[in-house]
Amino acid sequence: MGGVYIKPITKLRGEIRVPGDKSISHRAALFGGMAHGETHVSNFLLGQDCLSTLRCLKQLGVSWERQGTDVWIRGEGIEAWKEPDDVLDAGNSGTTMRLMLGALAGSPFTVTMSGDHSLRSRPMRRVTDPLKMMGAQIMGRKDGNFAPLTMQGGQLEGRVFNTPVASAQIKSAILLAGLRAHGETSVQEPALSRDHTERMLRGFGVDVRSHKTLVKIQGGGSLKSQAVSVPGDISSAAFFLVLGSLVGQGEIILPHVGVNPTRTGILEVLMAMGADIELINIQELCGEPRATIRVRPAKLKGVEIAGDIIPRLIDEIPILAVAASLAEGETVIRDAAELRVKETDRISTVVQGLSALGAKVEELPDGLRIYGQTSLNGGQASSLGDHRLAMAWAIAGMLSKEGVSVEDMAAADVSYPDFLSVIEKVAG
Ligand code: S3P
């Protein structure tokens, strides 16, 4: 069998400091580059996605320095950004591409953005259409839907948008363009997506008003540099919340994890499934709440997951599916068609991977139906280049009878570069 073999374990114990939040790291780098003055970002995620954002900033003329997970960005205002002399490569990162397009829509020069095979097949019209309506000119494959995308930015007009999907990347791209437009720009979402952009822009001194699912921004604002301390990523912690719940014995402590309510759907669902999870010492820093999370083994039962909670746990569905495969009874996930346009089509790739490991799972048009069992056999599964699948299959391996060989485990580097050494450590 090929790939990295992950052996079954029966107990574990330890403290795991998960790396910095991916969404917040992207925004700290980008807003630091747009701001006037030096922004110090601590606990920056060194995953490939966030490094792509830093590289794009350098190509736009923003200078920064990095030592470990500390990054100092010397912003001279977004007006000082220069036309890059080559394609901006966003790698695997949808957040880099969509937020950069929004930030650059008001710049009077031409940029071409591209990325890897996966990113070049992800829908971009969801951001290029609103940016074009505001005044940017954008061309791309399939009528502007797929990268490579070339944009000529310029004068923008504020607009009122009703977005068809709850997506923080769409909302953020529009707000960043709105910041440079004439007048007011507003975004109404069908359900609330993660609100890190709104929170961090306020920290950088921008007037952003929000009420429930409506956000408004005035054009013409500028950003003042800030210190940003990035909390641990709850999407990375999710793998250990599931492992710690389903392992035979032990306890895991996860200090300093971001618990922004637009991201804590995973905690609510695991607790509804019967998980023994406790939040200790909740504190707010740099506009983002964080807590120490303690998890102990528990018997999990199946649940229904649908509606407005979906955007609050969208990235955790692959690992939740692993949890559901070992829970008592049936779990149904609906209203999650967005999974089809992630790094892979995560409805079909989760079904493919979990079935290969011996789970009973069915594909639904907008989600999954998982029949819980008392054990998972294990076997071989591929990440298919998708970081969250790589880690979900590794956790499944630790919880299986025979272990799992994960093909392309290296995909985990996109959001969790040390993942393998961390699991080796906690599993002894
Ligand atoms: C992100 C938003 C979400 C999420 C992605 C990160 C962000 O995507 O899945 O991993 O940082 O804004 P969508 O905006 O497409 O829902």
Side-chain angles (χ1 to χ4, degrees), residues 126-147:
R126 47 180 58 202
V127 295
T128 57
D129 277 352
L131 298 178
K132 281 196 217 168
M133 287 166 82
M134 293 175 82
Q137 294 173 51
I138 309 174
M139 299 258 292
R141 292 187 300 122
K142 301 271 192 302
D143 201 14
N145 202 23
F146 295 114

Side-chain angles (χ1 to χ4, degrees), residues 341-375:
V341 291
K342 294 295 177 189
E343 286 81 334
T344 56
D345 171 348
R346 286 185 180 154
I347 295 182
S348 92
T349 53
V350 165
V351 170
Q352 201 181 313
L354 264 186
S355 310
L357 302 182
K360 277 202 223 147
V361 47
E362 265 171 36
E363 180 164 345
L364 304 175
D366 61 346
L368 302 155
R369 186 187 303 276
I370 303 151
Y371 302 92
Q373 304 177 131
T374 48
S375 65

Side-chain angles (χ1 to χ4, degrees), residues 6 15 91 114 158 302 310 315 320 371 395 406:
I6 309 285
E15 185 176 291
S114 195
I310 294 292
D315 293 340
L320 261 177
Y371 302 92
I395 298 295
V406 185

Side-chain angles (χ1 to χ4, degrees), residues 22-23 27 95 98 126 166-169 194 314-315 338 342:
K22 181 158 78 71
S23 294
R27 286 158 175 82
T95 309
R98 295 190 177 118
R126 47 180 58 202
S167 154
Q169 294 178 357
R194 62 192 68 192
I314 190 78
D315 293 340
E338 272 295 294
K342 294 295 177 189

